[in-house]
Amino acid sequence: MRKIFLAFLLVSSIGYSQTSKPFESEVKAIQIKNDSLWDSARPTIVFTGSSSIRFWNDVQERFPQHQVLNTGFGGSQFSDLELYLNELILNYNPVKVFIYEGDNDIFAKKRPRKILGTAEGILSQLRQKNPTMEIVLISAKPSISRWHYRGKYRRLNRKLSKLASELQGVDFVDVWYPMLDKRKVKQDIFVEDGLHMNKKGYDIWYETLKDYID
């Protein structure tokens, strides 16, 4: 009886560990989709990160001369991305990866210093496993719904910018100020939730990021 009970605990713990990893099912769905699209013979650019990337539905169409994969997922944070570097980035052997994280980290009340530590770990792993891959960190964006966190977002952006400047093959691109109208966030570039962008918002991102593609 004791052996049966221990076996049950083992199976239960294995089942729990398999289901406790955040975003696991979503990441698997992203892999299946991109595996069906990906041509391994062509140079690949990956856009990954939280929902501002996930909802950029026409990112491939914006850059038609390149093979672009969108592996954005959920309301992810840097710590979530760190769990899936192979599945969302490295398995596609990209020549360049654009990363948008930090938005939800600040909303989750993580300190910029802690966020930066996780970002450094991610960059270190990526550079170690693919030294020729170029990395672009996209700054946290301003938004209507999270405007009261603007001081923390700006602090994080300064730290990410400094980090990128100290590392070879890593760039930082600022989308914060292009999304402002003087000192306030533009009001007509978001959908109803005041957080995620509409086409006008992505037009700004495209204009800001396009020079970093080549």
Side-chain angles (χ1 to χ4, degrees), residues 37-100:
L37 300 172
W38 182 50
D39 180 355
S40 61
R42 295 181 60 197
T44 305
I45 296 173
V46 169
F47 279 73
T48 195
S50 61
S51 53
S52 291
I53 295 293
R54 179 165 62 98
F55 290 135
W56 197 352
N57 297 318
D58 66 346
V59 64
Q60 171 65 90
E61 288 73 22
R62 298 265 188 170
F63 305 104
Q65 68 275 32
H66 299 281
Q67 177 174 229
V68 178
L69 296 180
N70 184 333
T71 65
F73 64 115
S76 61
Q77 303 175 28
F78 270 115
S79 56
D80 300 310
L81 178 61
E82 191 173 29
L83 298 174
Y84 300 106
L85 296 181
N86 288 320
E87 294 89 339
L88 298 179
I89 301 174
L90 291 166
N91 286 354
Y92 300 106
N93 192 31
V95 295
K96 183 171 291 189
V97 57
F98 289 78
I99 297 174
Y100 182 77

Side-chain angles (χ1 to χ4, degrees), residues 7 25 43 49 63 89 102 126 130 164:
S25 60
F63 305 104
I89 301 174
L126 293 177
N130 188 342

Side-chain angles (χ1 to χ4, degrees), residues 33-211:
K33 177 183 177 181
N34 281 308
D35 287 351
S36 70
L37 300 172
W38 182 50
D39 180 355
S40 61
R42 295 181 60 197
T44 305
I45 296 173
V46 169
F47 279 73
T48 195
S50 61
S51 53
S52 291
I53 295 293
R54 179 165 62 98
F55 290 135
W56 197 352
N57 297 318
D58 66 346
V59 64
Q60 171 65 90
E61 288 73 22
R62 298 265 188 170
F63 305 104
Q65 68 275 32
H66 299 281
Q67 177 174 229
V68 178
L69 296 180
N70 184 333
T71 65
F73 64 115
S76 61
Q77 303 175 28
F78 270 115
S79 56
D80 300 310
L81 178 61
E82 191 173 29
L83 298 174
Y84 300 106
L85 296 181
N86 288 320
E87 294 89 339
L88 298 179
I89 301 174
L90 291 166
N91 286 354
Y92 300 106
N93 192 31
V95 295
K96 183 171 291 189
V97 57
F98 289 78
I99 297 174
Y100 182 77
E101 293 288 7
D103 195 330
N104 294 314
D105 301 66
I106 291 293
F107 185 67
K109 295 182 170 55
K110 290 183 179 178
R111 293 184 178 276
R113 183 179 299 177
K114 181 177 181 180
I115 301 169
L116 191 74
T118 307
E120 284 185 276
I122 289 172
L123 296 178
S124 176
Q125 290 184 65
L126 293 177
R127 298 295 292 165
Q128 182 179 15
K129 293 181 179 180
N130 188 342
T132 63
M133 178 176 59
E134 297 179 9
I135 303 169
V136 180
L137 294 176
I138 303 172
S139 77
K141 74 180 192 302
S143 64
I144 297 169
S145 65
R146 297 181 179 177
W147 186 239
H148 53 294
Y149 291 109
R150 59 190 177 277
K152 293 182 178 180
Y153 281 122
R154 286 197 293 256
R155 195 175 311 125
L156 174 62
N157 287 341
R158 288 194 296 269
K159 290 182 178 295
L160 291 175
S161 177
K162 184 175 185 295
L163 175 62
S165 71
E166 296 170 348
L167 297 174
Q168 185 177 2
V170 180
D171 285 315
F172 173 84
V173 57
D174 173 39
V175 296
W176 180 275
Y177 287 101
M179 295 176 69
L180 298 184
D181 182 6
K182 296 181 180 178
R183 294 187 176 183
K184 294 185 177 181
V185 62
K186 293 180 179 179
Q187 302 292 297
D188 63 343
I189 60 175
F190 297 95
V191 296
E192 291 181 359
D193 65 7
L195 175 62
H196 298 102
M197 294 177 289
N198 58 24
K199 183 180 180 299
K200 287 185 178 180
Y202 285 113
D203 286 344
I204 293 173
W205 274 37
Y206 168 75
E207 290 297 328
T208 306
L209 295 173
K210 65 181 182 180
D211 290 338

Side-chain angles (χ1 to χ4, degrees), residues 4-19:
I4 295 174
F5 178 70
L6 290 175
F8 174 78
L9 287 180
L10 179 61
V11 171
S12 297
S13 64
I14 291 173
Y16 178 77
S17 65
Q18 289 176 339
T19 58

